[in-house]
Amino acid sequence: MVFRGTVTDAPDFDPSADAEGLYNAMKGIGSDKETILDLVTSRSNAQRQEIIAAYKSSFGQDLIEDLKYELTGKFERLIVSLMRTPAYHDAKEIHDAVKGAGTNEKCLIEIMASRNNKQIHEMVEAYKDAYGSDIEEDIIADTSGHFKKMLVVLLQRSIQSTDLYAAGEEQWGTDEAKFIMILGNRSVTHLRMVFDEYEKITELSIEDSIKNELSGDFETLMLAVVQCIRSVPMFFARRLYKSMKGLGTADNTLIRIMISRSEIDMLDIRECFRLRYEKSLYNMIKDDTSGDYKRTLLNLCGGDDDLAGEFFPEAAQIAYKMWEISSMTKVQLRPTVRPASSFDPAADAQALRKAMKGFGTDEDAIIDIVAQRSNAQRQEIRQTFKSLLGRDLMKDLKSELSKNLERLIIGLMLSPAEFDAKMMRKAMEGAGTDEHALIEILVTRSNEEIHAMNAAYQAGYKKSLEEAIQSETSGHFCRILVSLVQGAREEGPADLERANADAQELADACNAESDDMEMKFMSILCTRSFPHLRKVFQEFVRCSNKDIEQIIKKEMSGDVKNAFYAIVCSVKNQPSYFADRLYKAMKGLGTDDRALIRIMVSRCEIDLFNIRKEFKDTHDVSLHEFIQVETMIVSRSLCLLTLLVAVLCNRKDCCILFILKCLCVVK
């Protein structure tokens, strides 16, 4: 087996000399932290154990205790953890996760899902030796339900695809015990074959089935097990990214992974990190940490990676497999807003009129009606409102509501084509153009939706959408948008022979002049069907040993790069693309309310449930919770906007306390 770690045995190793070097570095006032971190990170774990023994023999003192005394904070945690054997380090992490106030489920999941049989066995023995108790008993005492059962199965390490299907999607309820038995006991090789067969049978990935059928910590654990079966390095790349993104750093997670994988597969983790995210692991650590702590982590990382360099074999195989899974899997789209039962448009029209009559407006009543009817039902309400009451519902709503709440309610009352046309108009009117909105809409809509939007734009604004785009954009970006707005993307499955030819053409174009490269990419990415493009992007890895996303990021710039990148992301996983757009709309200072409203309105009857799942999977927080935290509440209308968004997310119950608290503060 090829060594894929970044920390190796030091040549000409002398444990006594190293012990003396560490002793001198800690002698006197202060300590020479640079000497300590350079020495510790340039020795393998086995060599560090010899240094510990030599230190005690030479100086009669415990090296780990001396390091704890001399060092402080995160740097001390990192150096001391490096001095423990892998088994004792894992044992301590598990012990810390289950003892004291609360349980660190994420730590339990990470360790139990990713360790092999030998590592689990050694950890169990180390736990018994270090703490005098049984690790299984401690985990059982601190966890519950199916989550507990699966952890115990993974500790023991002591049927088939059709069994999984019968346990999951085929039944109303899920036979969690069957999932536990199969995922917890079969070999990695066997399970990879099972997953492939499962996808052929169900046209669903095993991950999607788990997301659909399970919940909570049990769902997270099962997904972690599946991710580790598919690729342990990719699992850790995801964990590392989540530990550093956003405000603050999950230092315990960062330390644990960098230590535990430095002598196993850190090179592969680096490649997977580069494959999945926009920067190298080295640079993300560099930007997110500081001081001696940062220097130590960077030493363990082992070096920077060129953003679009060629893949190592492991990462190339992972990239190829990711596109293969994407091409095989049929995503089951799930809305959050469905037609109301016992629908009575006349009653709804009367109720809306009552909510807007007299002094003040009953926004709650408006929200309850509008957000819990399908768009088709809302169109009936509009017609009935005019025929029954002789009034224009849209004008009444505009006069009674304000700001973002008015935008959202009016957006819901428009037909999808009218709404898209309005969003395109808003993206191009006034000073500046919202290129991201133009890209998002044109990339994600079907041919039929684009044709309907074109007609609605012409009817509403007496000008063709294509003409509007040409007057507001320029260059290759304009050409890309004009190509997309034709609504002429091919439909149907992949043509394998043609996909290979397209992949080779894209690979060859990467060596061409910038203009020629962009034109070739446009001719394929803007015209081929999504199923066909998935196969093209898969074969592109084989032709070039590079990933299409990384090539776009490296070789292109500006709006052209953003447009092509959006196509690739949407082809790979459209709900994930929208989840990312929502996250970017809310993170940082201020909220892009228009983007938030546009996505929530346009996707609530298509795939908002899937978007919610992807958001939670990527960001470790639910969409409705993130909206509550990130949206600045400055008025009662915005409190109600948040309630309405929660209703669209199908999570109104989780928002009530938050709304009441806001209303108590904001008058």
Side-chain angles (χ1 to χ4, degrees), residues 537-658:
F537 298 155
Q538 180 187 358
E539 293 307 316
F540 181 84
V541 176
R542 181 184 56 77
C543 293
S544 66
N545 199 36
K546 296 175 183 177
D547 185 70
I548 193 77
E549 294 170 84
Q550 299 296 340
I551 288 293
I552 290 169
K553 291 176 194 171
K554 178 72 174 181
E555 302 297 334
M556 299 179 187
S557 61
D559 297 325
V560 170
K561 177 186 77 172
N562 293 336
F564 285 143
Y565 188 70
I567 292 172
V568 173
C569 292
S570 194
V571 167
K572 180 181 281 186
N573 184 333
Q574 196 164 97
S576 178
Y577 167 73
F578 279 116
D580 183 61
R581 292 284 298 138
L582 284 168
Y583 178 76
K584 288 176 179 174
M586 293 180 281
K587 73 169 184 174
L589 296 174
T591 299
D592 184 348
D593 298 307
R594 200 179 293 280
L596 176 61
I597 291 169
R598 183 176 62 246
I599 296 171
M600 299 297 291
V601 169
S602 65
R603 310 314 295 183
C604 63
E605 291 188 54
I606 301 172
D607 56 0
L608 189 53
F609 183 88
N610 306 78
I611 294 168
R612 274 174 41 192
K613 285 284 189 180
E614 293 293 339
F615 195 97
K616 179 71 180 290
D617 184 43
T618 303
H619 302 292
D620 279 339
V621 61
S622 70
L623 176 57
H624 77 281
E625 288 170 343
F626 195 77
I627 290 170
Q628 288 179 14
V629 171
E630 296 297 326
T631 307
M632 186 176 294
I633 304 302
V634 294
S635 67
R636 184 172 190 272
S637 68
L638 280 180
C639 294
L640 291 162
L641 168 65
T642 309
L643 173 59
L644 180 48
V645 168
V647 173
L648 293 178
C649 276
N650 202 18
R651 295 302 299 264
K652 180 179 175 181
D653 57 310
C654 300
C655 211
I656 296 299
L657 178 60
F658 173 73

Side-chain angles (χ1 to χ4, degrees), residues 189-203:
T189 303
H190 177 80
L191 284 170
R192 285 175 182 162
M193 294 169 64
V194 169
F195 295 165
D196 288 344
E197 289 302 313
Y198 184 87
E199 284 155 18
K200 290 176 185 175
I201 294 169
T202 66
E203 294 186 320

Side-chain angles (χ1 to χ4, degrees), residues 107-297:
C107 175
L108 293 178
I109 290 167
E110 177 196 302
I111 293 175
M112 298 304 299
S114 65
R115 301 311 192 249
N116 61 33
N117 292 359
K118 182 174 181 290
Q119 290 167 329
I120 291 284
H121 177 75
E122 290 172 349
M123 178 184 69
V124 169
E125 295 299 315
Y127 193 97
K128 184 79 171 178
D129 179 60
Y131 304 108
S133 60
D134 184 81
I135 190 171
E136 183 177 327
E137 291 176 0
D138 287 353
I139 287 175
I140 289 172
D142 212 57
T143 58
S144 60
H146 293 297
F147 178 61
K148 174 182 71 177
K149 293 174 186 175
M150 186 62 184
L151 289 174
V152 171
V153 169
L154 293 173
L155 265 179
Q156 301 299 326
R157 289 285 205 266
S158 31
I159 48 196
Q160 304 295 334
S161 57
T162 50
D163 289 336
L164 272 177
Y165 182 48
E169 294 291 328
E170 199 178 44
Q171 299 182 8
W172 284 105
T174 300
D175 183 357
E176 288 90 348
K178 184 64 71 71
F179 270 101
I180 290 171
M181 182 188 74
I182 296 175
L183 294 183
N185 289 288
R186 301 292 193 266
S187 70
V188 169
T189 303
H190 177 80
L191 284 170
R192 285 175 182 162
M193 294 169 64
V194 169
F195 295 165
D196 288 344
E197 289 302 313
Y198 184 87
E199 284 155 18
K200 290 176 185 175
I201 294 169
T202 66
E203 294 186 320
L204 276 177
S205 70
I206 188 69
E207 291 92 336
D208 285 336
S209 283
I210 289 171
K211 290 174 187 177
N212 291 341
E213 296 291 327
L214 309 179
S215 61
D217 292 328
F218 183 50
E219 175 194 349
T220 306
L221 174 57
M222 299 301 267
L223 284 173
V225 170
V226 170
Q227 288 165 7
C228 286
I229 289 164
R230 291 207 188 276
S231 169
V232 171
M234 182 59 80
F235 169 76
F236 281 115
R238 291 171 185 249
R239 291 283 295 152
L240 284 167
Y241 177 75
K242 289 180 180 180
S243 76
M244 291 182 280
K245 74 173 182 67
L247 295 175
T249 302
D251 292 294
N252 286 342
T253 301
L254 180 57
I255 290 170
R256 182 171 60 247
I257 297 173
M258 294 304 293
I259 289 174
S260 66
R261 312 313 294 186
S262 61
E263 294 186 45
I264 300 174
D265 53 5
M266 185 57 69
L267 288 175
D268 291 327
I269 292 170
R270 277 167 41 184
E271 280 293 291
C272 290
F273 197 97
R274 189 193 69 178
L275 168 66
R276 189 168 180 85
Y277 305 108
E278 295 185 14
K279 63 197 308 184
S280 67
L281 174 59
Y282 186 95
N283 279 322
M284 191 153 187
I285 292 171
K286 189 176 178 181
D287 293 344
D288 211 63
T289 59
S290 60
D292 296 314
Y293 176 58
K294 174 173 75 175
R295 285 198 59 212
T296 308
L297 290 170

Side-chain angles (χ1 to χ4, degrees), residues 15-32 35-36 39-40 51 54-56 58-63 66-67 70:
S16 296
D18 284 350
E20 185 174 354
L22 288 172
Y23 180 80
N24 291 332
M26 293 185 284
K27 193 168 62 174
I29 299 174
S31 55
D32 184 351
T35 295
I36 294 171
L39 193 152
V40 171
I51 295 170
Y55 192 91
K56 180 164 279 189
S58 298
F59 306 107
Q61 293 172 225
D62 188 301
L63 175 55
D66 283 359
L67 288 168
E70 292 291 332

Side-chain angles (χ1 to χ4, degrees), residues 377-443:
Q377 291 175 332
R378 292 183 212 120
Q379 303 315 308
E380 287 191 59
I381 295 171
R382 282 175 66 180
Q383 294 170 5
T384 304
F385 196 90
K386 178 162 277 189
S387 64
L388 194 65
L389 304 170
R391 303 177 66 90
D392 188 314
L393 176 58
M394 303 297 271
K395 287 182 179 178
D396 283 3
L397 289 169
K398 286 178 182 178
S399 69
E400 293 294 328
L401 305 174
S402 62
K403 296 182 180 178
N404 284 331
L405 182 60
E406 182 239 325
R407 283 188 202 169
L408 185 45
I409 290 290
I410 293 298
L412 286 164
M413 293 305 302
L414 292 169
S415 71
E418 290 172 330
F419 181 71
D420 281 346
K422 183 177 181 180
M423 291 298 99
M424 292 293 286
R425 175 78 169 185
K426 291 291 184 184
M428 292 184 284
E429 71 179 4
T433 302
D434 186 348
E435 292 86 1
H436 288 292
L438 298 179
I439 291 167
E440 175 200 301
I441 294 169
L442 290 176
V443 163

